[in-house]
Amino acid sequence: MNVNWDCENPEVHGVKKHPTDTVFFYDEPYSEARRYLQCDLKSYGKTSITRPQMKAAIVSLAKQVTCAEISSDWQRMYVDDQTTPVISGLLFVYNHDDEYDADFDHLLSDIRSEDLQLNPDSRLFIFGPDDINWLDRVATEIRQMRGKGDLPSRQFTSFYYPQLVRKSNFQIVEARAATAEMLSSPWIMLRWEDDETRREGFVVFHRRKTTVDDLVYLLDYLRHFQLLQRKIDVTIKVSQTDSDATIILQKAVRKYIDHISGQNEDSDIGKFLQQVKIGFVPENKTSFSTDAIGMEYVER
């Protein structure tokens, strides 16, 4: 954490050093690579989350990534031996006063790929205040579910990556973490297993407000990957404010069954669909004292 390292292209980048706030890594499910995330962690008040500020942060992060990809110093510090590294950037924009209520994505709308000068295969991930709030709520709910016994301990859970027709899961044992793509997707899917009862289950953290069409798509996904079975429990967790989600799920189940030729609510697939449950992810907003943050910064 908090390490500065030499820029590999100071004439172009205009700096002698690049900062690293922290680096996260995980094994990719569909390749033999290990992804490393060069992170820039920002904590802003509402008035500081502006278009120029975000563009400057993203351009800076892009420079960090292009250097990290060729920097022997960066890779010596962070890359594990005998792995195939893929280096990406993560901009984490936290709103510490919890007052930002504008469209964060709109601030990024005029950033062009030529502004970033990334290599063609390089990636940047950007988590804004809404993303961070959602992920914080999901993490809190997972901890609470474990505490109540609704989920087993960590070694019996993993995030779910199905075997795809054209792309196999190369690291089905190692790749247990949620990828950056999953964390920024419409849903996060956690798999659990219980050796004693020989049951397994899935918790789908559904970020968007539920609609019949969205849930029909999700049910079709579950059926396609054979996750609708007698000994598999499925719970869809939605935002606590999504009060009609249970009714919408019932409508989605009926619509889905109606579109399956020769099936009805009394068929096996009908019964499995009706076993899918709705749960809720509580609101969990966190804010910090701007005075305390300022004092901490001065003390450093």
Side-chain angles (χ1 to χ4, degrees):
M1 297 174 60
N2 301 323
V3 174
N4 293 328
W5 42 281
D6 290 337
C7 175
E8 298 292 323
N9 200 351
E11 294 81 10
V12 174
H13 290 173
V15 296
K16 294 182 179 180
K17 299 271 186 180
H18 289 300
T20 291
D21 287 342
T22 189
V23 173
F24 292 100
F25 69 86
Y26 54 81
D27 293 315
E28 284 285 349
Y30 297 117
S31 74
E32 296 180 352
R34 176 167 289 179
R35 187 171 299 276
Y36 294 84
L37 295 175
Q38 158 77 7
C39 297
D40 188 358
L41 309 178
K42 301 293 189 186
S43 178
Y44 291 134
K46 173 183 177 179
T47 58
S48 297
I49 302 178
T50 62
R51 189 184 296 266
Q53 193 84 281
M54 292 305 99
K55 183 172 183 178
I58 293 169
V59 170
S60 173
L61 182 60
K63 293 175 181 178
Q64 296 166 31
V65 170
T66 57
C67 274
E69 290 173 336
I70 59 174
S71 169
S72 57
D73 285 344
W74 192 96
Q75 297 187 31
R76 174 181 53 80
M77 288 187 288
Y78 297 113
V79 173
D80 298 316
D81 294 336
Q82 300 179 333
T83 63
T84 302
V86 178
I87 301 170
S88 299
L90 172 62
L91 178 62
F92 187 93
V93 183
Y94 180 72
N95 174 218
H96 60 68
D97 59 18
D98 194 28
E99 293 182 358
Y100 186 80
D101 55 3
D103 180 3
F104 179 79
D105 289 344
H106 183 67
L107 301 181
L108 317 178
S109 59
D110 65 342
I111 298 177
R112 303 167 300 172
S113 57
E114 51 265 35
D115 295 329
L116 305 181
Q117 300 180 2
L118 285 167
N119 294 320
D121 295 331
S122 299
R123 296 182 186 178
L124 299 184
F125 299 96
I126 302 170
F127 290 172
D130 284 346
D131 302 308
I132 294 166
N133 175 254
W134 168 245
L135 295 176
D136 183 38
R137 292 165 59 196
V138 169
T140 299
E141 181 64 8
I142 289 173
R143 288 193 295 268
Q144 291 180 346
M145 290 178 71
R146 285 205 175 108
K148 293 185 292 186
D150 294 336
L151 278 178
S153 55
R154 187 173 182 175
Q155 65 264 36
F156 298 110
T157 61
S158 61
F159 292 93
Y160 176 68
Y161 304 99
Q163 295 288 353
L164 303 179
V165 174
R166 296 186 179 181
K167 189 178 285 188
S168 297
N169 188 332
F170 284 97
Q171 304 195 87
I172 195 166
V173 175
E174 296 88 349
R176 302 172 63 86
T179 63
E181 288 88 351
M182 177 180 281
L183 294 178
S184 55
S185 71
W187 70 64
I188 298 170
M189 199 161 179
L190 183 70
R191 177 182 178 273
W192 59 265
E193 56 186 346
D194 188 329
D195 286 344
E196 292 184 6
T197 62
R198 294 185 174 276
R199 293 189 69 86
E200 64 176 316
F202 294 84
V203 183
V204 184
F205 296 94
H206 190 282
R207 179 172 179 173
R208 295 175 180 166
K209 185 174 177 61
T210 52
T211 66
V212 171
D213 288 342
D214 274 353
L215 293 187
V216 166
Y217 181 83
L218 176 53
L219 295 174
D220 192 54
Y221 176 92
L222 296 170
R223 180 171 178 245
H224 177 77
F225 291 109
Q226 301 179 359
L227 305 182
L228 295 174
Q229 298 183 31
R230 181 170 288 104
K231 290 189 175 182
I232 297 180
D233 298 324
V234 178
T235 301
I236 303 171
K237 292 269 188 174
V238 302
S239 176
Q240 195 170 33
T241 58
D242 198 353
S243 55
D244 294 332
T246 300
I247 297 171
I248 293 171
L249 175 62
Q250 293 171 357
K251 293 177 67 174
V253 167
R254 289 197 300 270
K255 181 176 180 178
Y256 190 69
I257 292 173
D258 289 343
H259 282 77
I260 304 176
S261 177
Q263 302 293 333
N264 57 49
E265 292 185 2
D266 294 327
S267 63
D268 284 345
I269 186 62
K271 292 176 181 177
F272 297 154
L273 285 166
Q274 292 175 65
Q275 290 175 3
V276 176
K277 300 183 290 291
I278 285 286
F280 295 94
V281 180
E283 294 291 328
N284 183 37
K285 290 196 173 184
T286 304
S287 60
F288 296 97
S289 163
T290 53
D291 291 338
I293 289 174
M295 291 172 64
E296 181 182 1
Y297 180 79
V298 170
E299 288 171 0
R300 287 180 180 175

